[in-house]
Amino acid sequence: MQKIPIKKFLPGIAWFFIVLVLTCMPGRDVPKISWLDKIYFDKWVHAGMFGGLTFLFSWPFYYSGFTAQQRLFYFIKISLVSSILGLIIEVIQKFYVTSRDFELLDWAADSVGAFLAFLVCRKVFIKSAS
């Protein structure tokens, strides 16, 4: 089994902690700007955060010696884990974060971001390396 050095995953790990801090901020600390609500800015942010998470954890596989099929397998796992993490964070917000609630649309945006990043990784990191 091939191994990728942990240092290659440091950008993804750092981004994970940034996402965790941002999503676990109390609701009163999250800025409210009314016109941004009209363009669903919050959902775009969710998609970007979890898309970034998927992309950054997939990136090290691009430079690995893994076959295209192996990379695809890992990209699928990474995007699913990102989506599940979004669900877990929504549950944490509901029960443990002040002034925050579980929002199904936030989780949907997290999942869409993870899926879009998966598509990008599949196109860029598999097809261009083959």
Side-chain angles (χ1 to χ4, degrees):
M1 173 125 219
Q2 299 173 11
K3 292 187 179 185
I4 299 173
I6 191 78
K7 69 180 182 177
K8 302 276 186 183
F9 292 99
L10 289 179
I13 293 167
W15 188 246
F16 166 80
F17 284 108
I18 290 169
V19 167
L20 196 59
V21 166
L22 291 174
T23 56
C24 291
M25 287 173 42
R28 67 181 176 277
D29 293 340
V30 177
K32 282 284 194 193
I33 302 170
S34 62
W35 70 271
L36 289 177
D37 289 340
K38 293 178 185 174
I39 60 169
Y40 302 100
F41 185 72
D42 171 53
K43 305 311 178 234
W44 291 101
V45 169
H46 275 266
M49 287 191 306
F50 286 84
L53 194 63
T54 300
F55 181 85
L56 289 173
F57 273 102
S58 298
W59 178 270
F61 290 92
Y62 179 54
Y63 295 106
S64 71
F66 288 91
T67 66
Q69 187 174 359
Q70 290 171 317
R71 280 184 293 213
L72 180 63
F73 174 73
Y74 281 106
F75 295 165
I76 291 168
K77 285 173 63 171
I78 291 165
S79 60
L80 287 174
V81 168
S82 290
S83 177
I84 292 167
L85 177 64
L87 178 62
I88 291 169
I89 287 175
E90 288 301 315
V91 171
I92 289 170
Q93 286 179 340
K94 178 178 176 136
F95 293 109
Y96 300 105
V97 181
T98 308
S99 306
R100 297 294 285 266
D101 292 315
F102 179 95
E103 275 194 57
L104 193 57
L105 288 178
D106 282 351
W107 179 46
D110 300 341
S111 298
V112 166
F115 179 69
L116 291 175
F118 162 77
L119 292 177
V120 167
C121 291
R122 188 183 75 180
K123 179 158 181 72
V124 175
F125 297 157
I126 291 177
K127 300 218 169 132
S128 68
S130 297

